[in-house]
Coordinates of all heavy atoms in Angstrom, one line a residue:
M1 N -6.5 12.3 6.5 CA -5.1 12.2 6.1 C -4.6 13.5 5.6 O -5.3 14.2 4.9 CB -4.9 11.1 5.1 CG -4.7 9.7 5.6 SD -4.3 8.6 4.3 CE -4.5 7.1 5.2
S2 N -3.3 13.8 5.8 CA -2.7 14.9 5.3 C -2.5 14.7 3.8 O -2.5 13.6 3.3 CB -1.4 15.3 6.0 OG -0.4 14.3 5.6
L3 N -2.2 15.8 3.1 CA -2.0 15.7 1.6 C -0.9 14.7 1.2 O -1.1 13.9 0.4 CB -1.8 17.1 1.0 CG -1.7 17.2 -0.5 CD1 -2.9 16.6 -1.1 CD2 -1.4 18.6 -0.9
S4 N 0.2 14.8 1.9 CA 1.4 14.0 1.6 C 1.1 12.5 1.9 O 1.4 11.6 1.2 CB 2.6 14.4 2.3 OG 2.5 14.3 3.7
D5 N 0.4 12.3 3.0 CA 0.0 10.9 3.4 C -1.0 10.3 2.4 O -0.8 9.2 2.0 CB -0.5 10.8 4.8 CG 0.5 11.0 5.9 OD1 1.7 10.9 5.5 OD2 0.2 11.2 7.0
S6 N -2.0 11.1 2.0 CA -3.0 10.6 1.1 C -2.3 10.3 -0.3 O -2.7 9.4 -0.9 CB -4.2 11.5 1.0 OG -3.9 12.6 0.2
S7 N -1.4 11.2 -0.6 CA -0.7 10.9 -1.9 C 0.1 9.6 -1.8 O 0.0 8.8 -2.7 CB 0.2 12.1 -2.2 OG 1.0 11.8 -3.3
N8 N 0.8 9.4 -0.7 CA 1.6 8.2 -0.6 C 0.6 7.0 -0.5 O 0.9 6.0 -1.1 CB 2.4 8.2 0.7 CG 3.6 9.2 0.5 OD1 4.1 9.4 -0.6 ND2 4.1 9.7 1.6
F9 N -0.5 7.2 0.3 CA -1.4 6.1 0.4 C -2.0 5.8 -1.0 O -2.2 4.6 -1.3 CB -2.5 6.4 1.4 CG -3.4 5.3 1.7 CD1 -3.1 4.3 2.6 CD2 -4.7 5.2 1.0 CE1 -3.9 3.2 2.9 CE2 -5.5 4.1 1.3 CZ -5.1 3.1 2.2
S10 N -2.3 6.8 -1.8 CA -2.9 6.6 -3.1 C -1.9 5.8 -4.0 O -2.3 5.0 -4.8 CB -3.3 7.9 -3.7 OG -4.3 8.5 -3.0
E11 N -0.6 6.2 -3.9 CA 0.4 5.5 -4.7 C 0.5 4.1 -4.3 O 0.6 3.2 -5.1 CB 1.7 6.2 -4.5 CG 1.8 7.6 -5.2 CD 3.0 8.4 -4.8 OE1 4.0 7.8 -4.4 OE2 3.0 9.6 -5.1
V12 N 0.5 3.8 -3.0 CA 0.6 2.4 -2.5 C -0.6 1.6 -3.0 O -0.5 0.5 -3.5 CB 0.7 2.4 -0.9 CG1 0.5 1.0 -0.4 CG2 2.0 3.0 -0.5
S13 N -1.8 2.2 -2.8 CA -3.0 1.6 -3.2 C -3.0 1.3 -4.7 O -3.4 0.2 -5.2 CB -4.2 2.4 -2.9 OG -5.4 1.8 -3.2
K14 N -2.6 2.2 -5.5 CA -2.5 2.1 -7.0 C -1.6 0.9 -7.3 O -1.9 0.1 -8.2 CB -2.1 3.4 -7.6 CG -1.9 3.3 -9.1 CD -1.5 4.6 -9.7 CE -1.2 4.4 -11.2 NZ -0.6 5.6 -11.8
R15 N -0.4 0.9 -6.7 CA 0.6 -0.1 -7.0 C 0.0 -1.5 -6.6 O 0.2 -2.5 -7.3 CB 1.9 0.1 -6.3 CG 3.0 -0.9 -6.6 CD 3.3 -1.0 -8.1 NE 4.2 -2.2 -8.3 CZ 4.2 -3.0 -9.3 NH1 3.3 -2.8 -10.3 NH2 5.0 -4.0 -9.4
L16 N -0.7 -1.6 -5.5 CA -1.2 -2.9 -5.0 C -2.3 -3.3 -6.1 O -2.3 -4.5 -6.4 CB -1.9 -2.7 -3.7 CG -0.9 -2.7 -2.5 CD1 -1.7 -2.3 -1.2 CD2 -0.2 -4.0 -2.3
G17 N -3.0 -2.4 -6.7 CA -4.0 -2.8 -7.7 C -3.2 -3.3 -9.0 O -3.7 -4.3 -9.6
E18 N -2.1 -2.7 -9.3 CA -1.3 -3.1 -10.4 C -0.8 -4.5 -10.2 O -0.8 -5.4 -11.1 CB -0.2 -2.1 -10.7 CG -0.6 -0.8 -11.2 CD 0.5 0.3 -11.2 OE1 1.6 0.0 -10.7 OE2 0.2 1.4 -11.7
I19 N -0.3 -4.7 -9.0 CA 0.2 -6.1 -8.6 C -0.9 -7.1 -8.8 O -0.6 -8.2 -9.3 CB 0.8 -6.0 -7.2 CG1 2.1 -5.2 -7.2 CG2 1.1 -7.5 -6.7 CD1 2.7 -5.0 -5.8
L20 N -2.0 -6.8 -8.3 CA -3.2 -7.7 -8.4 C -3.5 -8.1 -9.8 O -3.6 -9.3 -10.1 CB -4.4 -7.1 -7.7 CG -5.7 -8.0 -7.7 CD1 -5.4 -9.3 -6.9 CD2 -6.8 -7.2 -7.0
D21 N -3.5 -7.1 -10.7 CA -3.7 -7.3 -12.1 C -2.7 -8.2 -12.7 O -2.9 -9.1 -13.5 CB -3.8 -6.0 -12.9 CG -5.1 -5.2 -12.5 OD1 -6.0 -5.8 -12.0 OD2 -5.1 -4.0 -12.8
E22 N -1.4 -8.0 -12.3 CA -0.3 -8.8 -12.9 C -0.4 -10.2 -12.4 O -0.1 -11.1 -13.2 CB 1.1 -8.2 -12.5 CG 1.5 -6.9 -13.2 CD 2.9 -6.5 -12.9 OE1 3.8 -7.2 -13.2 OE2 3.0 -5.4 -12.3
V23 N -0.7 -10.4 -11.1 CA -0.7 -11.8 -10.6 C -1.9 -12.5 -11.2 O -1.8 -13.8 -11.4 CB -0.8 -11.7 -9.0 CG1 -1.1 -13.1 -8.5 CG2 0.5 -11.2 -8.4
K24 N -3.0 -11.9 -11.5 CA -4.1 -12.5 -12.1 C -3.9 -12.9 -13.6 O -4.5 -13.8 -14.1 CB -5.4 -11.6 -12.1 CG -6.0 -11.5 -10.7 CD -7.2 -10.6 -10.8 CE -8.0 -10.5 -9.6 NZ -9.2 -9.7 -9.7
S25 N -2.9 -12.3 -14.2 CA -2.6 -12.6 -15.6 C -2.0 -14.0 -15.7 O -1.1 -14.4 -15.0 CB -1.6 -11.6 -16.1 OG -1.1 -12.0 -17.4
K26 N -2.5 -14.7 -16.7 CA -2.0 -16.1 -16.9 C -0.6 -16.0 -17.5 O 0.1 -17.1 -17.5 CB -2.9 -16.8 -17.9 CG -4.3 -17.0 -17.2 CD -5.2 -17.7 -18.2 CE -6.6 -17.9 -17.4 NZ -7.6 -18.4 -18.2
D27 N -0.1 -14.9 -18.0 CA 1.2 -14.8 -18.5 C 2.3 -14.5 -17.5 O 3.5 -14.6 -17.8 CB 1.3 -13.6 -19.6 CG 0.3 -13.9 -20.8 OD1 0.1 -15.1 -21.1 OD2 -0.2 -12.9 -21.3
T28 N 1.9 -14.3 -16.2 CA 2.8 -14.1 -15.2 C 3.4 -15.4 -14.6 O 2.6 -16.2 -14.2 CB 2.2 -13.2 -14.0 OG1 1.6 -12.0 -14.6 CG2 3.2 -12.9 -13.0
S29 N 4.7 -15.5 -14.6 CA 5.3 -16.7 -14.1 C 5.2 -16.8 -12.6 O 4.9 -15.9 -11.9 CB 6.8 -16.7 -14.5 OG 7.5 -15.7 -13.7
L30 N 5.4 -18.0 -12.1 CA 5.3 -18.3 -10.7 C 6.4 -17.4 -10.0 O 6.1 -16.8 -8.9 CB 5.5 -19.7 -10.4 CG 5.6 -20.1 -8.9 CD1 4.3 -19.7 -8.2 CD2 5.8 -21.6 -8.7
E31 N 7.6 -17.4 -10.5 CA 8.7 -16.6 -9.9 C 8.3 -15.1 -9.8 O 8.5 -14.5 -8.8 CB 10.0 -16.8 -10.7 CG 11.2 -16.1 -10.1 CD 12.5 -16.3 -10.8 OE1 12.5 -17.2 -11.7 OE2 13.4 -15.6 -10.6
K32 N 7.8 -14.6 -10.9 CA 7.4 -13.2 -10.9 C 6.2 -13.0 -9.9 O 6.2 -11.9 -9.2 CB 6.9 -12.8 -12.4 CG 6.4 -11.4 -12.5 CD 7.5 -10.4 -12.3 CE 7.0 -9.0 -12.6 NZ 7.9 -7.9 -12.3
S33 N 5.3 -13.9 -9.9 CA 4.2 -13.8 -8.9 C 4.7 -13.7 -7.5 O 4.2 -13.0 -6.7 CB 3.2 -14.9 -9.1 OG 2.6 -14.9 -10.3
L34 N 5.7 -14.6 -7.2 CA 6.3 -14.6 -5.8 C 7.0 -13.3 -5.5 O 6.9 -12.7 -4.4 CB 7.2 -15.8 -5.7 CG 6.5 -17.1 -5.6 CD1 7.5 -18.2 -5.6 CD2 5.6 -17.2 -4.4
D35 N 7.7 -12.7 -6.5 CA 8.3 -11.4 -6.3 C 7.3 -10.3 -6.1 O 7.4 -9.5 -5.2 CB 9.2 -11.0 -7.6 CG 10.4 -11.9 -7.7 OD1 10.8 -12.5 -6.7 OD2 11.0 -11.9 -8.8
L36 N 6.2 -10.4 -6.8 CA 5.1 -9.4 -6.7 C 4.4 -9.6 -5.3 O 4.1 -8.6 -4.7 CB 4.1 -9.6 -7.8 CG 4.5 -9.1 -9.2 CD1 3.6 -9.6 -10.2 CD2 4.7 -7.6 -9.2
F37 N 4.3 -10.8 -4.9 CA 3.7 -11.1 -3.5 C 4.6 -10.4 -2.5 O 4.1 -9.8 -1.5 CB 3.6 -12.6 -3.3 CG 3.1 -12.9 -1.9 CD1 1.8 -12.8 -1.6 CD2 4.0 -13.4 -1.0 CE1 1.3 -13.1 -0.3 CE2 3.6 -13.7 0.3 CZ 2.2 -13.6 0.6
D38 N 5.9 -10.6 -2.6 CA 6.8 -9.9 -1.6 C 6.7 -8.4 -1.6 O 6.7 -7.8 -0.6 CB 8.3 -10.3 -1.9 CG 8.6 -11.8 -1.6 OD1 7.9 -12.4 -0.8 OD2 9.6 -12.3 -2.2
E39 N 6.6 -7.8 -2.8 CA 6.4 -6.4 -2.9 C 5.1 -6.0 -2.3 O 5.0 -5.0 -1.6 CB 6.4 -6.0 -4.4 CG 6.3 -4.5 -4.5 CD 6.3 -4.0 -6.0 OE1 6.5 -4.8 -6.9 OE2 6.0 -2.8 -6.2
A40 N 4.0 -6.8 -2.5 CA 2.7 -6.5 -1.9 C 2.7 -6.5 -0.4 O 2.1 -5.7 0.2 CB 1.7 -7.4 -2.5
I41 N 3.5 -7.4 0.2 CA 3.6 -7.5 1.6 C 4.2 -6.2 2.2 O 3.7 -5.6 3.1 CB 4.4 -8.7 2.0 CG1 3.7 -10.0 1.7 CG2 4.8 -8.7 3.5 CD1 2.5 -10.3 2.4
V42 N 5.3 -5.7 1.5 CA 5.9 -4.5 2.0 C 5.0 -3.3 1.8 O 4.8 -2.5 2.7 CB 7.2 -4.3 1.2 CG1 7.8 -2.9 1.4 CG2 8.2 -5.3 1.5
L43 N 4.3 -3.2 0.7 CA 3.3 -2.1 0.4 C 2.2 -2.2 1.4 O 1.7 -1.1 1.9 CB 2.8 -2.2 -1.0 CG 3.8 -1.8 -2.1 CD1 3.3 -2.2 -3.5 CD2 4.2 -0.4 -2.0
G44 N 1.7 -3.4 1.7 CA 0.6 -3.5 2.7 C 1.0 -3.0 4.1 O 0.3 -2.3 4.7
A45 N 2.2 -3.3 4.4 CA 2.8 -2.8 5.7 C 2.9 -1.3 5.7 O 2.6 -0.6 6.7 CB 4.1 -3.4 6.0
Q46 N 3.3 -0.7 4.6 CA 3.4 0.8 4.5 C 2.0 1.4 4.6 O 1.8 2.4 5.2 CB 4.0 1.1 3.1 CG 5.5 0.9 3.1 CD 6.1 1.2 1.7 OE1 5.3 1.5 0.7 NE2 7.4 1.1 1.5
A47 N 1.0 0.8 3.9 CA -0.4 1.3 4.0 C -0.9 1.3 5.4 O -1.5 2.3 5.9 CB -1.3 0.5 3.1
V48 N -0.6 0.2 6.1 CA -1.1 0.1 7.5 C -0.4 1.2 8.4 O -1.0 1.8 9.2 CB -0.8 -1.3 8.1 CG1 -1.0 -1.3 9.6 CG2 -1.7 -2.3 7.4
E49 N 0.9 1.4 8.1 CA 1.6 2.4 8.9 C 1.1 3.8 8.6 O 0.9 4.6 9.5 CB 3.1 2.3 8.5 CG 4.0 3.3 9.3 CD 5.4 3.1 9.0 OE1 5.9 2.0 8.8 OE2 6.1 4.2 9.0
L50 N 0.7 4.1 7.3 CA 0.2 5.4 7.0 C -1.2 5.6 7.7 O -1.4 6.7 8.2 CB 0.0 5.5 5.5 CG 1.3 5.7 4.7 CD1 1.0 5.5 3.2 CD2 1.9 7.0 4.9
V51 N -2.0 4.6 7.7 CA -3.3 4.7 8.3 C -3.1 4.9 9.8 O -3.8 5.7 10.5 CB -4.2 3.5 8.0 CG1 -5.4 3.4 8.9 CG2 -4.5 3.5 6.5
D52 N -2.2 4.1 10.4 CA -2.0 4.2 11.9 C -1.5 5.6 12.2 O -1.9 6.1 13.3 CB -1.0 3.1 12.3 CG -1.6 1.7 12.4 OD1 -2.9 1.6 12.3 OD2 -0.8 0.7 12.5
Q53 N -0.6 6.1 11.4 CA 0.0 7.4 11.7 C -1.1 8.5 11.7 O -1.2 9.4 12.5 CB 1.1 7.8 10.7 CG 2.4 7.1 10.9 CD 3.4 7.4 9.8 OE1 3.1 8.1 8.8 NE2 4.6 6.8 9.9
E54 N -2.0 8.4 10.7 CA -3.1 9.3 10.6 C -4.1 9.2 11.8 O -4.5 10.2 12.4 CB -3.8 9.1 9.3 CG -5.0 10.1 9.1 CD -4.5 11.6 9.1 OE1 -3.4 11.8 8.7 OE2 -5.3 12.4 9.4
A55 N -4.4 8.0 12.1 CA -5.3 7.7 13.3 C -4.7 8.2 14.5 O -5.4 8.9 15.4 CB -5.6 6.2 13.4
L56 N -3.4 8.0 14.7 CA -2.7 8.5 15.9 C -2.7 10.0 16.0 O -2.9 10.6 17.0 CB -1.3 7.9 16.0 CG -0.5 8.3 17.2 CD1 -1.1 7.8 18.5 CD2 0.9 7.8 17.1
G57 N -2.5 10.6 14.8 CA -2.5 12.1 14.7 C -3.8 12.7 15.1 O -3.9 13.7 15.7
E58 N -4.9 12.0 14.7 CA -6.2 12.5 15.0 C -6.5 12.5 16.5 O -7.1 13.3 17.1 CB -7.3 11.7 14.3 CG -7.3 11.9 12.8 CD -8.3 11.0 12.1 OE1 -9.1 10.3 12.8 OE2 -8.3 11.0 10.9
Y59 N -6.0 11.4 17.2 CA -6.2 11.3 18.6 C -5.3 12.3 19.4 O -5.7 12.7 20.5 CB -5.9 9.9 19.1 CG -7.0 8.9 18.6 CD1 -6.7 7.8 17.8 CD2 -8.3 9.1 19.1 CE1 -7.7 7.0 17.4 CE2 -9.3 8.2 18.6 CZ -9.0 7.1 17.8 OH -9.9 6.3 17.4
E60 N -4.2 12.6 18.9 CA -3.3 13.5 19.6 C -3.6 15.0 19.3 O -3.0 15.8 20.0 CB -1.8 13.2 19.2 CG -1.4 11.9 19.7 CD 0.1 11.5 19.4 OE1 0.7 12.3 18.5 OE2 0.6 10.6 19.9
S61 N -4.4 15.3 18.3 CA -4.7 16.7 18.0 C -5.5 17.3 19.1 O -6.5 16.7 19.6 CB -5.5 16.8 16.7 OG -4.7 16.3 15.6
P62 N -5.2 18.5 19.5 CA -6.0 19.1 20.6 C -7.3 19.5 20.0 O -7.5 19.9 18.9 CB -5.2 20.4 21.0 CG -4.3 20.6 19.8 CD -4.0 19.3 19.1
S63 N -8.4 19.4 20.9 CA -9.7 19.8 20.5 C -9.9 21.3 20.5 O -9.3 21.9 21.4 CB -10.7 19.1 21.4 OG -10.6 17.7 21.4
E64 N -10.6 21.8 19.6 CA -10.8 23.2 19.5 C -12.2 23.5 19.9 O -13.1 22.9 19.7 CB -10.5 23.8 18.2 CG -9.0 23.7 17.9 CD -8.6 24.4 16.6 OE1 -9.3 25.4 16.1 OE2 -7.7 24.0 16.0

């Protein structure tokens, strides 16, 4: 992954971890958990897109 992609991927991964911790907390309401779930779906899609872009870039790079 390029530096900017790995930075974005790291940020996405970090936020997903934070969401997981929040949802596991007994103090998190159902409404908040559902909001966090929605955010996690969006972040998961972003992570897949970043990985796909990197994989596609590797296949399109000319061999040296």
